Amino acid sequence: MVGTANNARIRQAFSVVNGIQDLGLSSNPASNAGSECGTIEFTREDVEALLSEKMRYKNKFNYKERCENMMDYIKRLRLCIKWFQELEGDYAFEHERLRNALELSEQKCAEMELALRNKEEELNLIIVELRKSFASLQEKLAKEESDMLAALDSLAREKETRLNMERSHASLSEDLGKAQEELQSANQRIASINDMYKLLQEYNSSLQHYNTKLQKDIDAAHESIKRGEKEKSAIVENLSTLRGQYKSLQEQLSTYKASQDEAMRQKDALVHEVASMRVELQQVRDDRDHQLSQVQALTAEVIKYKELAVSSEDLEARCASQSNQIRSLSDQLAAAEEKLQVSDLSALETKTEFEGQKKLINELRNHLEDAEYKLIEGEKLRKRLHNTILELKGNIRVFCRVRPLLPDDSSGSEGKLISYPTTTEALGRGIDIMQNGQKHSFSFDRVFMPDESQEDVFVEISQLVQSALDGYKVCIFAYGQTGSGKTYTMMGKPGHPDLKGLIPRSLEQIFQTRQSLLSQGWKYEMQVSMLEIYNETIRDLLSTNRDASRLENACNGKQYAIKHDANGNTHVTDLTVVDVCSTKEVSYLLDRAAHSRSVGKTQMNEQSSRSHFVFTLRISGLNESTEQQVQGILNLIDLAGSERLSKSGSTGDRLKETQAINKSLSSLSDVIFALAKKEKKEDHVPFRNSKLTYLLQPCLGGDSKTLMFVNISPEASSVGESLCSLRFAARVNACEIGTPRRQTSMRSSESRLSLG
């Protein structure tokens, strides 16, 4: 039945259609009956009841009642039909609207599908690029692993070489101990022979006294003299055997020096390997930084891809209910997300590999630090061995240098007068000189022939110069007659870099070594002073007013006094001391001093030095890591040449200069003779006889490492002076002045350079 209260509802046709229900009667639709039906709606039960309703009549022959009931039924059927027509129109309108919405959604889905395809292609390209970058990273990691293996092999080889070096050092120290014992025994034998020689001299003097008293008994005296000569020949034979033993000891010492040179070459090779390892380590660090930047870029791209994945998931959630195609796209997006996860995992693996590589780099860095520490220890051992060898050789070493013949010299004289032994024990150390048909042989620590260059000479003294940086006092002076090449040896030839002398080359080495020791924590300060001793008067060559200083010295207005302190350091009062930081500054000061130095012309030399030139470099070093402080002094001295008045032809001022030079050199000879004969510490040595010897007192009688160059001329007219110079050098070489002492201390609050 149709009712207004029980069967009437608000029409919900659009909501039913939007819910995608069936449009038939089985979907429980509700609708209005139009304007005539008002709010009357038909349910499924009402329609079924209306269709299945049977007409019931009280009287089947009452046609009026039947017509009324039929009219009422027809009216209700019309209302139902009209309601169905209206509902069908509404459904048709709704169907058209839904069709338009579906077409619009399909168009949007197509556009979205196209966009997703483009995104998929971009993701595929990015994944391909990621795979390529990952493959390149794998190749780089493989190369780095091979490099690391090579570095480990080189470290193993380095350890083996270090062990071999330590073993060689141990054997060298044992050999040095044996050599010291043998030298002590040889010295004892030489002392006993000297005693016997003194006794023989006393015996000969007694024989001579006896001969003066007993002139009548000539035959007996001759027999006693013959016996003395026989005994003397026997003693000479013993001396020759002892000299042979001494030469053998010198050969052993040369072998030890060769082994030390081999150790130095091994150290240089190790330094080169450490430098190459540093370069490889820097390359590994650069590659690591580049790969870290790539990993950061990859992580940023992965974050972007994850954001794209989230947006694709949102689009998938919106389109999943509309089309199967969108579901397929969502599956493709899920596959892309899996690929991104795989790439993320590969990025994590590369991160872990980078961490392992960083650990390996740290291990290599630790190995490098250990190698640098061993290098520093090896440098310390080298210094100790070098100083030990110098002590074994004697504190005053003597080098002899023969200058070549000049165009003004008489040609062909050198080959007749001077010769050099070619035997193994005397090669490079011996020199023979002829005078009046008699051959005189001398042996020194080193003999330089005329054809040897300035570089060859400096190589022999480079380690001695290095001792000044280690905290020792070092003194190198040139001795010889005028015109023998002393100034050329010490200063060189201006304007010719290949002919630089010992002073500029020593300064270059010191400043280069100073720069290389910065990595070990050493910092050095340098101070330079230069003076000359002219006619027993000290002159400051670095004074700002040179003429005024000469006038003051002449008028006794300003006196430069030499003072020695308790530590063996020498001070010259009022002397100009200049702080220097480079070789250019020192070269400028040397040129300035050369222009201020006193020179003059004589018959023997066009540019004869008329004064003793003293160059002093004071070195103060501080190691900031160990707080160790060293103070070294380098004295480089160019002595004025000795000359004979008969040959130089000096007169006037030149005569006074010659007399002052010969007097100071004679005082130097007296000091050397006194040191050679000195048996007790209290014996007097005449250092105060001249300004030169008093200034050189710490170098000749203290704890300094001293080297003397004796320069000789090959001219026949100078053979007498050359022979005197060689004899003086031989006596200097026999002097023992004491053990060198290194000046070191811990860093104090006030650290100032001590003047040497």
Side-chain angles (χ1 to χ4, degrees):
M1 296 297 292
V2 178
T4 60
N6 297 326
N7 298 325
R9 295 179 183 175
I10 299 172
R11 193 172 73 175
Q12 301 176 352
F14 292 108
S15 63
V16 171
V17 172
N18 291 331
I20 316 178
Q21 301 279 341
D22 291 335
L23 297 176
L25 295 174
S26 62
S27 61
N28 294 325
S31 177
N32 288 330
S35 61
E36 296 179 358
C37 299
T39 59
I40 296 175
E41 294 181 357
F42 291 91
T43 63
R44 185 176 180 180
E45 290 83 4
D46 293 338
V47 174
E48 288 178 356
L50 182 62
L51 293 175
S52 62
E53 183 178 356
K54 295 180 179 181
M55 303 299 292
R56 293 180 182 181
Y57 308 105
K58 294 180 180 180
N59 187 0
K60 60 181 180 179
F61 298 105
N62 191 354
Y63 292 104
K64 184 179 180 179
E65 182 181 3
R66 290 177 66 183
C67 288
E68 291 177 355
N69 291 334
M70 186 62 68
M71 290 297 291
D72 184 45
Y73 181 68
I74 290 169
K75 187 178 181 180
R76 285 188 285 121
L77 283 174
R78 286 178 178 175
L79 290 172
C80 183
I81 290 168
K82 192 175 182 180
W83 179 77
F84 269 109
Q85 289 176 351
E86 291 178 355
L87 185 62
E88 184 178 2
D90 293 337
Y91 278 174
F93 176 75
E94 190 70 22
H95 185 268
E96 186 69 22
R97 190 183 65 79
L98 289 175
R99 183 181 294 171
N100 294 331
L102 181 60
E103 290 177 356
L104 183 62
S105 63
E106 286 179 353
Q107 185 178 1
K108 290 182 178 179
C109 288
E111 293 176 355
M112 195 176 297
E113 180 180 0
L114 182 60
L116 288 174
R117 285 179 181 175
N118 294 331
K119 291 290 183 182
E120 183 182 4
E121 291 177 357
E122 292 178 0
L123 289 173
N124 290 330
L125 292 175
I126 291 170
I127 289 170
V128 170
E129 291 178 357
L130 288 173
R131 287 178 179 174
K132 290 180 180 178
S133 62
F134 180 70
S136 63
L137 287 174
Q138 284 183 339
E139 292 177 358
K140 289 181 180 179
L141 286 174
K143 290 180 181 179
E144 290 176 358
E145 288 177 356
S146 62
D147 293 337
M148 293 301 106
L149 292 175
L152 290 174
D153 294 336
S154 64
L155 284 174
R157 290 194 298 271
E158 180 185 356
K159 289 181 180 178
E160 292 178 359
T161 55
R162 289 292 172 85
L163 290 174
N164 294 330
M165 186 177 178
E166 291 176 356
R167 292 170 184 170
S168 63
H169 284 170
S171 61
L172 183 61
S173 61
E174 292 178 358
D175 295 337
L176 285 173
K178 293 179 180 179
Q180 287 178 351
E181 293 177 358
E182 292 176 356
L183 282 174
Q184 289 178 358
S185 61
N187 289 329
Q188 291 177 358
R189 292 175 182 176
I190 290 171
S192 62
I193 290 169
N194 288 330
D195 294 336
M196 291 177 64
Y197 187 70
K198 290 179 180 179
L199 292 174
L200 285 173
Q201 287 180 343
E202 293 176 357
Y203 181 67
N204 286 330
S205 63
S206 64
L207 285 177
Q208 290 175 0
H209 183 67
Y210 184 74
N211 191 17
T212 56
K213 289 183 179 180
L214 301 176
Q215 292 180 358
K216 295 179 182 180
D217 200 0
I218 297 173
D219 296 334
H222 279 299
E223 290 177 357
S224 62
I225 290 171
K226 288 180 180 179
R227 287 195 300 270
E229 288 178 352
K230 290 180 181 179
E231 291 176 356
K232 186 176 180 180
S233 62
I235 291 170
V236 169
E237 290 177 356
N238 292 329
L239 283 173
S240 62
T241 56
L242 288 175
R243 285 177 180 172
Q245 293 178 358
Y246 181 74
K247 289 180 181 178
S248 64
L249 290 175
Q250 289 290 336
E251 290 178 357
Q252 292 179 1
L253 194 57
S254 63
T255 56
Y256 298 155
K257 184 177 180 181
S259 62
Q260 174 67 19
D261 294 337
E262 182 65 23
M264 290 295 297
R265 286 194 292 272
Q266 292 178 358
K267 185 203 77 172
D268 294 336
L270 293 175
V271 170
H272 180 68
E273 290 180 0
V274 169
S276 61
M277 288 179 62
R278 286 180 177 171
V279 173
E280 293 176 357
L281 182 60
Q282 186 65 33
Q283 292 178 355
V284 171
R285 288 176 179 172
D286 295 337
D287 294 338
R288 180 201 64 187
D289 296 337
H290 179 65
Q291 292 172 0
L292 286 175
S293 62
Q294 288 183 352
V295 168
Q296 290 176 357
L298 289 174
T299 53
E301 290 178 357
V302 167
I303 292 171
K304 291 180 181 179
Y305 300 154
K306 287 183 178 179
E307 293 176 355
L308 290 173
V310 172
S311 63
S312 65
E313 288 177 357
D314 295 336
L315 292 173
E316 182 183 359
R318 293 176 184 176
C319 298
S321 62
Q322 295 180 2
S323 175
N324 293 326
Q325 293 179 354
I326 298 176
R327 290 194 184 95
S328 64
L329 289 174
S330 65
D331 295 334
Q332 292 177 2
L333 287 173
E337 186 178 3
E338 290 179 357
K339 291 180 181 179
L340 287 174
Q341 290 178 356
V342 170
S343 63
D344 194 5
L345 291 174
S346 64
L348 290 174
E349 291 177 357
T350 55
K351 283 184 179 179
T352 55
E353 290 177 358
F354 278 128
E355 290 176 354
Q357 186 180 1
K358 187 182 287 186
K359 291 180 181 178
L360 184 59
I361 289 172
N362 291 329
E363 292 178 357
L364 287 174
R365 190 177 296 166
N366 294 331
H367 288 305
L368 183 60
E369 291 176 355
D370 294 337
E372 289 178 350
Y373 175 76
K374 291 179 180 179
L375 182 63
I376 294 172
E377 293 297 325
E379 183 69 15
K380 292 180 180 178
L381 182 59
R382 180 201 62 80
K383 292 177 182 178
R384 290 198 298 268
L385 291 174
H386 172 67
N387 294 326
T388 303
I389 290 172
L390 287 183
E391 291 173 6
L392 288 174
K393 288 184 176 180
N395 292 332
I396 297 185
R397 302 171 63 191
V398 176
F399 288 174
C400 176
R401 188 178 191 186
V402 182
R403 73 161 174 83
L405 284 171
L406 301 177
D408 297 334
D409 297 339
S410 56
S411 60
S413 60
E414 184 204 358
K416 300 177 183 178
L417 297 177
I418 298 176
S419 60
Y420 308 93
T422 57
T423 60
T424 304
E425 58 185 12
L427 184 63
R429 299 178 62 250
I431 183 172
D432 299 330
I433 186 168
M434 298 291 294
Q435 185 186 31
N436 299 326
Q438 186 177 0
K439 181 179 179 181
H440 301 273
S441 299
F442 299 90
S443 179
F444 302 104
D445 296 288
R446 183 74 164 85
V447 175
F448 296 97
M449 298 183 185
D451 57 349
E452 295 191 75
S453 64
Q454 297 277 65
E455 179 66 22
D456 298 332
V457 176
F458 178 73
V459 167
E460 292 293 327
I461 69 159
S462 59
Q463 291 298 321
L464 186 62
V465 174
Q466 175 69 28
S467 299
L469 280 173
D470 299 340
Y472 289 90
K473 295 178 183 177
V474 178
C475 178
I476 302 175
F477 63 94
Y479 177 89
Q481 72 178 107
T482 182
S484 59
K486 299 183 300 302
T487 304
Y488 174 80
T489 299
M490 300 303 292
M491 299 296 295
K493 190 174 182 180
H496 296 77
D498 296 336
L499 303 179
K500 289 184 293 188
L502 301 184
I503 294 179
R505 291 179 187 270
S506 300
L507 296 172
E508 288 178 358
Q509 175 183 331
I510 285 174
F511 282 99
Q512 289 175 0
T513 308
R514 168 195 181 185
Q515 190 67 26
S516 63
L517 291 177
L518 287 175
S519 59
Q520 300 181 15
W522 283 99
K523 291 185 178 180
Y524 289 91
E525 294 178 0
M526 312 285 184
Q527 289 183 337
V528 167
S529 65
M530 301 182 201
L531 62 87
E532 69 173 357
I533 301 175
Y534 176 79
N535 288 346
E536 284 300 301
T537 302
I538 295 177
R539 289 181 176 178
D540 188 0
L541 296 179
L542 298 182
S543 177
T544 55
N545 191 346
R546 177 66 176 154
D547 295 331
S549 65
R550 287 191 178 186
L551 185 60
E552 287 174 359
N553 288 332
C555 300
N556 294 327
K558 186 175 182 181
Q559 296 293 331
Y560 296 96
I562 302 172
K563 295 183 178 180
H564 304 297
D565 59 13
N567 296 325
N569 296 319
T570 301
H571 305 266
V572 179
T573 59
D574 297 330
L575 188 66
T576 303
V577 178
V578 181
D579 294 325
V580 292
C581 300
S582 65
T583 54
K584 291 183 179 179
E585 296 179 2
V586 183
S587 298
Y588 168 75
L589 295 176
L590 283 172
D591 293 337
R592 180 174 156 189
H595 287 91
S596 301
R597 189 179 178 187
S598 299
V599 294
K601 180 180 179 181
T602 65
Q603 294 181 3
M604 297 182 66
N605 193 357
E606 289 288 333
Q607 291 288 328
S608 177
S609 301
R610 313 309 294 169
S611 64
H612 306 299
F613 172 74
V614 180
F615 171 91
T616 302
L617 177 67
R618 299 168 181 85
I619 303 171
S620 176
L622 174 63
N623 193 319
E624 294 181 350
S625 58
T626 61
E627 296 297 321
Q628 186 181 12
Q629 190 173 8
V630 297
Q631 289 186 351
I633 299 170
L634 178 62
N635 290 311
L636 301 172
I637 303 169
D638 179 17
L639 297 177
S642 61
E643 60 188 34
R644 294 182 180 179
L645 294 175
S646 58
K647 295 180 64 177
S648 65
S650 300
T651 58
D653 292 338
R654 299 287 91 83
L655 178 60
K656 293 180 181 179
E657 293 167 356
T658 302
Q659 291 173 348
I661 291 169
N662 291 337
K663 180 181 178 182
S664 60
L665 294 178
S666 178
S667 299
L668 179 62
S669 300
D670 294 339
V671 168
I672 295 299
F673 283 14
L675 289 173
K677 294 181 179 179
K678 185 177 178 182
E679 297 180 357
K680 296 181 180 180
K681 195 172 184 180
E682 295 79 15
D683 291 346
H684 174 68
V685 179
F687 286 110
R688 293 180 177 269
N689 286 358
S690 71
K691 294 284 182 66
L692 176 63
T693 55
Y694 193 51
L695 185 64
L696 295 180
Q697 182 175 353
C699 304
L700 299 176
D703 51 1
S704 174
K705 294 183 178 181
T706 305
L707 169 68
M708 186 185 85
F709 271 91
V710 54
N711 296 80
I712 63 174
S713 172
E715 286 185 280
S717 59
S718 302
V719 66
E721 287 291 329
S722 298
L723 188 59
C724 291
S725 298
L726 292 174
R727 287 171 176 168
F728 174 75
R731 189 169 291 275
V732 170
N733 202 14
C735 289
E736 296 180 2
I737 61 174
T739 303
R741 181 172 57 88
R742 187 183 183 192
Q743 294 184 345
T744 61
S745 62
M746 299 307 292
R747 186 179 185 181
S748 60
S749 59
E750 296 179 3
S751 60
R752 180 64 180 166
L753 289 172
S754 65
L755 304 178

